[in-house]
Amino acid sequence: MGDPRKPKPKGPRPLETHDHRRYFVLLVGINEYLDPVPPLGGCVADVENLENYLTKEWLTGRADKDQTTDCDDPGIEGAEVDSYGPLHILKLTDKLATYKNIEKAFNLFLRQAHRTEKEGGEVIEDVAWFHFSGHGTEDFAAEGFKVLEPNGKDQAIVCYKEKKEDGYLLMKDKEIAVLLNYVSTVDPMGDKKKFGSPHIVVSLDCCHSGSGTRDFVMDETLKTRFAAIMDAKTRTSLASEDTTRELKDYANGFYASQEKLSVPITPHVALSGCESVQLAGDLPEGGVFSSGLIDALKATKGNLDYSDLYTRSRSFVQKRRGKDQTPQFDIVGDFNPYTKFLDGEPSKSPRKYELKFKDVWRVECGAVHGLPMNGEKKIKMSIQTIDTEPETLGIVEIDGVSAQHSTFSLPKDGSISLDTTTPENYRAIINYLPIPPTTVYVHGEEDGVKAMADAWDNSKSIQMETSLDGIGEAQIDVEVTKEEFIVRDTKHNINAIPEIIKRSRSTRNIENSVMADLGKMANWDRFIQLNNQDSQIADMIEFKIDYFGEDPANKLGTLTKSSVIEAKAGNVIMTDSAMYAYFRPTVVFKNVKQRLYPYLFHLRANYSIKSQEQVLPYNPDEFKGQDVSAIPKPVVTEDIGWGMPKSEDEVTCYFKLLVTTEELEYKILLQEELGGTRGDMVFARKPKIIENDWLALTYKVVLKKP
């Protein structure tokens, strides 16, 4: 597959030195798949829509729109390159989108993108963008890949195939990795690029796996871009030639020739239409993700960086499909996400995180900030000094991610040296796009909006917007009137607490107070989302919460992960002013052979995050000689009482259990409520009310009047 050791293609060598940035865009869309692969309806529309956006909107507003640049035609029969000044677009749709043609387009078209360093230090970085709209799938990997893929599967895009000469039906992720590596390192003639990699973007509007098909409901017009290829029982697939592939059949023997098997890592940004367990929506007018991407770009005239594009396109997609489809942006290699879309120019300063040292080095950024805990993504970060003009000391790789921090090691070659006695002198920049910041729409009186902008604190992972264009819908709405700041939680619809949502503008430093509360609201939401789907201790843990009435022996029921309790006689305790129940959380440890630390958090409707007093960790040494198949352990020493005033109709809280393999500094995760508080109440069986105190399990509990 494009191996530079193969015979070099004929044709002129693309200019290695040129005066202006060039844009090479490969757009692939397939509707007319042949049976048994089901056809789609909006993939060719994606190609047309993206081309129209690039040529009629994005390019027309650019200063370099009239700069004519060179481009060689890759010689694909039936397809040609359309050039618009510096922009060159190659479209492969339906019958043209074969494995062989896509491979050829990478090798003879995208590999023309260069990085040039001119005299005087000027750098001109071309852009190579590959977009695919069509079916995605999973298939069996070659046996030789089991050292890299223990699950024995490849992710793949489904190409058009009518005859053997078209090539394989599936282009696998490991093959795309090789193609990207060549785009980064060699030109179409197979010679090494002198000045390094161009700016590379990959966008895939397809599904990554079939696991999202379970319990999935679509409307009548919506198809999904997933083709079921595998038959796990017989280990066969619709792509029979792919099922029997060996290492030598991947990427023209690239992997078979390696001394140590590894997939090449090429710096680029990867934009994908959905999470790996979701399905990408397909409509006749175009894919949900591609349409959302274009809407976000149109709304901002393309003037945004990849971190902003992530937030905005995600909002547009979820406005159409809610949580059923969540676009993902992955940063691969040392690609900088805080660079402008298709330009690579720096856009803004990234957030910097503190370092600490206690036996090991760690950075104060973890799962609650959006980093993945599964360890599959190798996250890198640069270490800087905290000087006025920071010095970058080098790049390190994160070893492990816990709830609120991550650990890392210094290179063994000694290329980075940090003083363990003064960790406060360093900061880290994470080279990863985690959970997007919470979008806050601030509108109303001009002077109040300006005051909020002046007080804004991006370190709280909240992003201020003064227009919904390019956002679709904000998670928090801040309305500024002459007298008040009115804050509304549009995501969770917690708007029934007047003391929280209405804040007088006459209060001293009110903008800073509102800013603090917005940070708490965003943190509360992120903590609810905190999850580790790949936890290795999940099968060791069973969590249950029973709830009781006045008599501790009178169990009213056991919570499910989303429970509604009707606040009526017999279901709750009623006093003159309140309705409530008591909750008894228990963790059952099953055949656990190491220490585990359980922590229970209570997230209430006033945006507080509380933790009951910590119980002792599970210690297997305590149960030697006993049956340890199911050891129950209460998480609190006394039952939690929770409810609402009789004046309310409904209130929601969340119980969240974190079980960690190491002791957690859980108090860092706690926060007090916003402003004044009403809406829910905490009770205790004893007079004392508890105020303060990673498998993650979450129970949403709604108490409502019937």
Side-chain angles (χ1 to χ4, degrees), residues 227-288:
I229 296 293
M230 299 188 303
D231 184 337
K233 292 182 179 179
T234 61
R235 194 174 162 81
T236 60
S237 79
L238 297 178
S240 57
E241 77 280 16
D242 285 278
T243 300
T244 57
R245 278 212 231 179
E246 301 175 6
L247 277 181
K248 64 182 178 60
D249 300 314
Y250 283 69
N252 291 323
F254 175 89
Y255 291 102
S257 66
Q258 291 182 322
E259 291 185 8
K260 182 179 180 181
L261 193 62
S262 66
V263 178
I265 302 297
T266 300
H268 68 280
V269 59
L271 325 179
S272 53
C274 59
E275 293 179 351
S276 62
V277 294
Q278 294 178 325
L279 295 174
D282 177 67
L283 294 164
E285 62 269 25
V288 175

Side-chain angles (χ1 to χ4, degrees), residues 493-506:
N493 198 30
I494 301 176
N495 300 321
I497 310 174
E499 293 91 342
I500 293 177
I501 69 168
K502 292 189 177 183
R503 312 292 292 275
S504 172
R505 290 183 62 189
S506 63

Side-chain angles (χ1 to χ4, degrees), residues 288 313-323 325-327:
V288 175
S313 60
R314 188 174 187 258
S315 179
F316 273 110
V317 169
Q318 293 193 329
K319 187 177 182 181
R320 173 65 180 86
R321 295 199 59 207
K323 294 182 179 179
Q325 186 171 343
T326 304

